[in-house]
Amino acid sequence: MEWKKKGIILKTEDLKADWIVSHVQLPVPLKINDDTLRIYYSARNQECHSFPIYVDVDINNFKILKVCMEPLLNLGEIGSFDENGITFSSCIEFNGKLYMYYIGWNKTHNIPYKNAIGLAISEDGGDTFHKYSEGPILDRCLEYPYFVASPFVFYENGKFKMWFLSCTKWEWNEQDGYVPYYLIKSASSEDGIHWNKDERDCIKYNNDHEAIAKPWVIKLDNRYYMWYSYRDTYDFRKNKNKTYMIGLALSDDGENWIRKDKIVGISKSDSGWDSEMMCYASVIENKDDLIMIYNGNEHGKYAFGYATCKKDELKGIK
């Protein structure tokens, strides 16, 4: 398959709000109607705390229609799992409501951060949200001892399926300090709130110095496709050959996956906003096309953009 890059949708410098200092990170698209696509993302303030906001664009030409710059959720209380940041990750319509699954950020003493997964609910189509609870719906536990984050939730045959990253260890190196290793796990649920954990690894490490993040899944013609971000764990902040790239995996049942990173059909540009890094891809259908929305250099510090390809191109992948 071959993705055609279309350019930037939104730059951080375009956001005219006093509290926003950097990032338009982790874009999460939601179709509002046939012509309007809402893209949720997170921006950071001077204290490097993430808050979710959104932009509405015309899905036919990606011109900006509306920019919301008032945070959609407040940070949690001192000591809570989301006291230092909230990053939307996946949304799904259920029982007339919008369930938004998000990453809660919590600073720690020894390591840079700890994540857990929270749920916010909208009853007005995604304009406003309230937290389901002050605590996370999925957190570190017996099966996931370090942290969990970046959920993607899929509803099919009366059940919820979640794919998410699970940290397997932290390791120190002189170049980067403490660095997390993580891969993709899964869980299932009857109500989207209480989750049954699956101990299997969905997307496994290719080597012993890899990190795999931010799954996004679609189903076409009875086959599942997952896009994710993967990087090295050494010198990944400065060496462009070790920073995040976008990967692809296939599955016939949503449980057993085969990595196909070499044929993902999209790579870093020779120059510009996505020349050093590509990450946090989301993929949606639009008529005969697929639309990929993704972040670029420095984990989305400056912009997010999009690319397109024909849905028929997926059918030839083996």
Side-chain angles (χ1 to χ4, degrees):
M1 61 188 307
E2 180 182 357
W3 291 91
K4 296 180 180 179
K5 293 185 177 182
K6 298 295 186 177
I8 291 173
I9 298 173
L10 184 69
K11 297 179 182 178
T12 304
E13 64 186 40
D14 295 333
L15 301 178
K16 308 302 181 183
D18 293 340
W19 67 271
I20 297 175
V21 174
S22 68
H23 288 78
V24 285
Q25 192 174 40
L26 219 148
V28 177
L30 173 71
K31 279 189 177 182
I32 300 298
N33 54 50
D34 290 342
D35 296 314
T36 305
L37 184 68
R38 176 163 295 175
I39 305 172
Y40 297 96
Y41 60 95
S42 290
R44 298 185 188 181
N45 65 9
Q46 291 182 341
E47 297 176 301
C48 206
H49 294 164
S50 295
F51 293 86
I53 48 182
Y54 69 79
V55 60
D56 288 345
V57 300
D58 187 322
I59 200 169
N60 301 298
N61 54 28
F62 277 79
K63 290 184 178 179
I64 294 175
L65 304 174
K66 176 184 178 182
V67 180
C68 166
M69 289 186 289
E70 290 296 322
L72 297 170
L73 287 177
N74 293 322
L75 300 183
E77 299 294 332
I78 296 296
S80 63
F81 81 104
D82 56 0
E83 67 167 314
N84 299 126
I86 292 172
T87 304
F88 283 177
S89 186
S90 174
C91 60
I92 187 168
E93 295 181 52
F94 181 67
N95 284 344
K97 301 177 182 179
L98 187 66
Y99 280 25
M100 180 67 75
Y101 296 87
Y102 69 89
I103 308 162
W105 295 82
N106 188 226
K107 293 180 181 178
T108 64
H109 177 67
N110 291 319
I111 56 176
Y113 60 85
K114 184 181 73 173
N115 292 144
I117 295 171
L119 172 63
I121 297 175
S122 175
E123 300 182 39
D124 58 10
D127 291 336
T128 63
F129 289 86
H130 62 85
K131 295 180 184 180
Y132 172 76
S133 61
E134 290 302 310
I137 60 167
L138 197 64
D139 201 351
R140 61 181 182 179
C141 57
L142 182 66
E143 295 84 359
Y144 318 131
Y146 295 97
F147 69 77
V148 295
S150 302
F152 178 84
V153 178
F154 194 91
Y155 186 72
E156 184 179 36
N157 299 325
K159 289 187 177 182
F160 292 84
K161 184 78 172 183
M162 180 193 290
W163 294 273
F164 57 96
L165 74 80
S166 174
C167 179
T168 59
K169 67 176 178 177
W170 287 86
E171 190 173 88
W172 172 269
N173 70 67
E174 292 294 334
Q175 183 73 27
D176 303 295
Y178 278 109
V179 174
Y181 293 62
Y182 35 74
L183 43 63
I184 306 301
K185 293 276 195 176
S186 65
S188 60
S189 173
E190 298 289 337
D191 60 6
I193 298 167
H194 305 92
W195 294 88
N196 300 311
K197 306 173 186 72
D198 186 347
E199 295 187 19
R200 293 177 297 175
D201 300 334
C202 290
I203 310 298
K204 301 178 181 180
Y205 297 127
N206 269 337
N207 53 60
D208 60 1
H209 51 94
E210 188 176 36
I212 311 165
K214 188 55 182 72
W216 190 280
V217 177
I218 67 170
K219 185 179 181 182
L220 287 174
D221 297 327
N222 296 315
R223 188 159 68 166
Y224 300 85
Y225 301 84
M226 181 191 293
W227 289 265
Y228 47 85
S229 304
Y230 68 100
R231 61 164 171 78
D232 205 299
T233 52
Y234 299 116
D235 196 24
F236 63 91
R237 292 186 175 92
K238 295 182 179 180
N239 187 335
K240 66 176 294 184
N241 295 318
K242 296 185 176 183
T243 58
Y244 272 128
M245 297 180 287
I246 295 172
L248 172 68
L250 312 181
S251 175
D252 290 327
D253 57 10
E255 304 288 341
N256 301 287
W257 295 86
I258 301 173
R259 290 184 69 165
K260 296 283 188 177
D261 298 339
K262 293 182 179 180
I263 60 169
V264 68
I266 194 167
S267 60
K268 300 168 188 175
S269 299
D270 293 332
S271 62
W273 72 280
D274 62 351
S275 60
E276 299 174 3
M277 180 184 296
M278 293 183 65
C279 58
Y280 311 144
S282 56
V283 177
I284 61 168
E285 299 177 57
N286 182 44
K287 300 176 182 177
D288 295 330
D289 294 332
L290 295 175
I291 300 172
M292 176 187 288
I293 305 171
Y294 64 94
N295 279 130
N297 302 343
E298 295 190 46
H299 305 88
K301 184 176 182 179
Y302 307 104
F304 63 78
Y306 75 113
T308 64
C309 81
K310 295 297 181 182
K311 285 195 287 187
D312 287 345
E313 292 190 28
L314 288 180
K315 297 177 182 179
I317 297 176
K318 298 184 183 294

